[in-house]
Amino acid sequence: MILRVLGSSSHGNCYILERGEQALLIECGVSWKEIQQGLDFNLSRVGACLISHEHKDHSKSAREVMQAGINVYCSPGTAEALGISSHRLHTVPPLKQFTVGDFIVLPFPVEHDCAEPYGYLIYCRSTGEKLLFATDTYYIRHRFSGLNYIMVECNHCGDVLKAYVEEGTMAVPRKNRLLESHFSLEHCKEFLQVNVTTDTRKIILLHLSDDNSDAERMVREITDLTGIDTEVAEPGKVIELVLYPY
Amino acid sequence: MISLSNEIALFKKTDMEAITKRVQQFINNGELTLPADYSPENAMKSAWLMLQETVDRDKRPALQVCTRESVYNALLGMAVQGLNPDKKQCYFIVYGKKLMCQRSYFGSMHVAKMVDPDIVDIYAQTVYADDEFEYEIRHGKEVVTKHVQKLQNIQPDKIIGAYATIVYKDGRELSTVMTFDQIKQAWKQSQMKPVDDKGNIKAGSTHDKFTADMCEKTVINKACKYVINSSSDKSIVGRFAREMDAELKEAEIDQEITDNANQEFIDIDYTVTDATEATTDPEPEPAQEPPADDDPGY
């Protein structure tokens, strides 16, 4: 599979997961123009667009996506908060899987300050590859097995936030909001300790904060902890996801 | 043999002298003025007695599981804020290996008065559906102008809100008004989870049995928080209070994550049929709605 990153921050999030001629759009929080360009204007291969939650940096092109004939999947709470309706809109209950072409998708609840946020477990039927996508969550209630690729938020470093508060450049309520809505490096590591197995080939870190993260340190610490090839999702990146890289 | 309890440095009674000295230093430097009737030594003795009884969630004694640093910080924070656990102005909670001192609403009122000596009184009232209740916004602050209540109005199922009023020396009165929904939203954040996700108060809980009292505590806490958080950084009391609140919040979040993260195992059902398969339609449909709701259209 191939993962194209169109955006992975509070400025906009969007990923294209490709397997052969099929593609899944994960999030649509960048401009419709960028999405079309990312898909090389070949919209017909997109089986669905999965949206995690209603915040604009994840959903702003939802209407255009549906108007272009792409089915959008999200939680009922997210759809209500977005105020969208269309025969292209599929609201799915948590933990009830659905099939999109070659992919089986299992939505699961995550923890963020919004209506009803989801993460998605994505399974490719023809290759047996399993990918986890979870962003904008300060922890994940569930655990998983046999994950080949883990796309997970790693937003901030707890000690960086603490230092900013101490030097007075960050207000305490802002720090609290981050702690209660986004994955810190420390908690992301705890999550990975539980979910990384010998099946895991790649960890992709999402949604790094502009000010409160340290990409190099995050990649280093997570690689040291897990021994798994880790990289940061950056706009424009094309990441190869392969089960047998050797 | 090294016993488990020796793995972390534990707080000793003698460490309390160091705290008392530190508080005295703040006083001597002119950074801290404690109320005349407050004795840090007495408060410390009460705290020590209380700590003998404090246990963590597994019923292990706090003084055997908490780090020396966390106990030191909790007691120093208590003394600087002029809090006395005997007066129920604060209590101690163990989160993991950390001891935390948490202010009660009495304690928050006390600290608000310390950081703003112009405050003479803080009180709260519950508002019921049939009350005559009016307030105005003056200079961005709420001022209650009328609240008339009849005894028969006081019915637990008719609470519509509550307010706390801070009375200043010059006679000014500023209020904090909360609707019942806002109060319940605040309760949802509470570690005790007295309100479920649908906004129902848990039957038999303190919040259910003494709803009006709990509303008043919540609104008083909010009013005091505003005073404490807006106090100058020069005030050592305000600074300690804010730091203590921040640490407590962090410990609560860590506890929530420890309790709930990575628990239930879920996986794909591989025996799935294609019955639920979504269809794709390459033909774009005509635009029916405006392109984006954050586009002002001009």
Side-chain angles (χ1 to χ4, degrees):
Chain A
M1 294 194 289
I2 287 187
L3 182 77
R4 292 179 194 279
V5 182
L6 304 191
S8 186
S9 71
S10 52
H11 303 297
N13 295 271
C14 185
Y15 311 88
I16 301 166
L17 182 66
E18 296 176 350
R19 154 73 195 148
E21 281 306 296
Q22 297 190 19
L24 270 186
L25 200 56
I26 306 175
E27 313 279 43
C28 55
V30 298
S31 74
W32 174 232
K33 194 175 157 191
E34 285 169 273
I35 296 175
Q36 284 174 300
Q37 283 169 348
L39 288 164
D40 203 16
F41 296 92
N42 184 358
L43 307 183
S44 60
R45 64 199 176 106
V46 184
C49 172
L50 314 176
I51 297 179
S52 65
H53 66 291
E54 68 270 21
H55 291 161
K56 284 282 170 275
D57 55 327
H58 296 260
S59 67
K60 78 170 169 197
S61 293
R63 286 192 170 88
E64 289 96 326
V65 168
M66 291 192 293
Q67 279 161 13
I70 297 169
N71 291 310
V72 162
Y73 289 80
C74 63
S75 69
T78 297
E80 197 190 333
L82 278 171
I84 49 173
S85 63
S86 160
H87 68 283
R88 292 287 171 207
L89 175 67
H90 298 258
T91 55
V92 280
L95 304 179
K96 188 154 169 51
Q97 68 182 42
F98 53 92
T99 306
V100 181
D102 200 13
F103 299 105
I104 301 177
V105 182
L106 177 67
F108 57 90
V110 296
E111 313 300 318
H112 192 52
D113 55 350
C114 61
E116 194 183 1
Y118 278 171
Y120 295 99
L121 180 62
I122 301 169
Y123 176 70
C124 180
R125 291 191 287 181
S126 60
T127 61
E129 290 165 287
K130 211 192 280 184
L131 175 145
L132 183 99
F133 172 79
T135 189
D136 293 51
T137 184
Y138 63 114
Y139 67 94
I140 296 171
R141 286 177 187 272
H142 294 96
R143 59 195 176 89
F144 310 87
S145 76
L147 298 177
N148 301 123
Y149 318 114
I150 302 176
M151 294 173 69
V152 67
E153 171 177 44
C154 191
N155 180 263
H156 56 266
C157 307
D159 49 1
V160 172
L161 295 190
K162 218 172 216 174
Y164 283 162
V165 168
E166 271 164 27
E167 70 188 36
T169 47
M170 181 183 279
V172 170
R174 170 146 176 76
K175 182 185 122 195
N176 288 345
R177 195 253 151 186
L178 283 172
L179 293 180
E180 270 188 303
S181 59
H182 288 283
F183 237 142
S184 67
L185 171 63
E186 297 74 16
H187 292 132
C188 180
K189 281 161 77 176
E190 288 169 11
F191 165 80
L192 289 168
Q193 264 181 319
V194 174
N195 291 290
V196 165
T197 64
T198 51
D199 296 316
T200 310
R201 296 288 175 267
K202 180 83 106 180
I203 296 168
I204 301 158
L205 304 179
L206 315 177
H207 210 292
L208 273 69
S209 156
D210 288 348
D211 302 324
N212 314 318
S213 68
D214 177 344
E216 202 183 307
R217 172 183 161 193
M218 287 170 162
V219 169
R220 188 181 63 240
E221 287 191 18
I222 288 176
T223 311
D224 287 350
L225 177 78
T226 61
I228 305 293
D229 185 18
T230 302
E231 61 182 291
V232 171
E234 287 160 353
K237 238 186 195 180
V238 180
I239 302 171
E240 251 194 295
L241 304 174
V242 279
L243 273 189
Y244 304 102
Y246 32 82
Chain B
M1 197 178 76
I2 298 169
S3 72
L4 190 67
S5 60
N6 283 340
E7 284 177 9
I8 49 168
L10 294 175
F11 190 85
K12 295 181 195 67
K13 203 173 178 184
T14 48
D15 289 331
M16 295 207 305
E17 284 166 25
I19 298 174
T20 318
K21 265 189 198 155
R22 186 86 188 99
V23 174
Q24 200 54 52
Q25 264 176 356
F26 287 138
I27 295 171
N28 295 346
N29 293 346
E31 291 174 279
L32 177 66
T33 313
L34 288 169
D37 58 351
Y38 183 77
S39 149
E41 291 84 359
N42 287 349
M44 211 76 79
K45 275 178 201 155
S46 308
W48 183 254
L49 287 175
M50 198 167 276
L51 283 177
Q52 309 300 316
E53 309 287 315
T54 306
V55 290
D56 73 356
R57 296 193 309 170
D58 300 324
K59 307 278 175 231
R60 290 175 302 188
L63 288 168
Q64 281 179 29
V65 293
C66 294
T67 62
R68 186 179 179 186
E69 188 192 0
S70 75
V71 180
Y72 179 92
N73 286 336
L75 293 179
L76 180 64
M78 173 198 82
V80 168
Q81 293 174 78
L83 299 171
N84 193 335
D86 255 359
K87 292 184 184 167
K88 301 225 183 314
Q89 290 171 329
C90 64
Y91 41 96
F92 298 100
I93 312 170
V94 182
Y95 285 109
K97 285 182 179 175
K98 275 188 182 170
L99 183 77
M100 295 278 160
C101 172
Q102 181 164 24
R103 281 192 311 272
S104 68
Y105 83 105
F106 293 122
S108 290
M109 283 160 72
H110 170 82
V111 173
K113 285 179 187 170
M114 267 181 86
V115 298
D116 188 345
D118 287 340
I119 294 175
V120 286
D121 196 14
I122 302 170
Y123 65 86
Q125 282 293 333
T126 303
V127 185
Y128 295 87
D130 297 328
D131 289 2
E132 287 176 55
F133 178 72
E134 287 171 13
Y135 69 97
E136 291 177 4
I137 315 279
R138 284 187 211 150
H139 307 296
K141 305 267 171 66
E142 291 149 336
V143 179
V144 172
T145 51
K146 186 178 190 184
H147 186 198
V148 182
Q149 193 172 68
K150 289 195 177 114
L151 210 50
Q152 61 266 31
N153 296 358
I154 301 175
Q155 291 174 40
D157 57 342
K158 288 197 170 171
I159 293 173
I160 56 166
Y163 62 93
T165 297
I166 297 178
V167 185
Y168 292 88
K169 271 183 190 159
D170 59 6
R172 269 182 313 136
E173 291 189 3
L174 292 180
S175 297
T176 300
V177 182
M178 290 176 87
T179 65
F180 194 35
D181 278 346
Q182 287 172 325
I183 291 169
K184 284 198 285 187
Q185 192 58 40
W187 291 352
K188 266 192 204 172
Q189 315 291 324
S190 153
Q191 287 296 298
M192 284 150 66
K193 301 275 173 226
V195 171
D196 67 19
D197 286 342
K198 288 177 187 137
N200 302 315
I201 300 172
K202 213 192 277 172
S205 65
T206 315
H207 292 71
D208 178 38
K209 286 191 269 189
F210 306 100
T211 313
D213 290 340
M214 297 311 276
C215 285
E216 288 164 19
K217 281 183 187 180
T218 301
V219 75
I220 280 182
N221 264 328
K222 188 178 175 189
C224 293
K225 206 171 172 182
Y226 180 78
V227 175
I228 295 166
N229 287 351
S230 60
S231 69
S232 155
D233 259 359
K234 283 180 196 146
S235 153
I236 190 175
V237 179
R239 216 169 66 216
F240 264 81
R242 286 193 293 274
E243 273 169 21
M244 201 172 81
D245 291 349
E247 269 179 32
L248 188 68
K249 183 75 190 167
E250 210 169 296
E252 281 173 4
I253 295 169
D254 277 343
Q255 187 72 60
E256 184 195 346
I257 295 176
T258 308
D259 288 350
N260 300 322
N262 313 316
Q263 300 287 318
E264 192 194 340
F265 174 76
I266 54 168
D267 204 358
I268 299 281
D269 175 8
Y270 301 100
T271 60
V272 72
T273 64
D274 281 354
T276 54
E277 181 144 2
T279 54
T280 54
D281 181 356
E283 291 300 313
E285 62 183 276
Q288 292 167 336
E289 290 169 278
D293 60 4
D294 50 352
D295 177 358
Y298 46 82

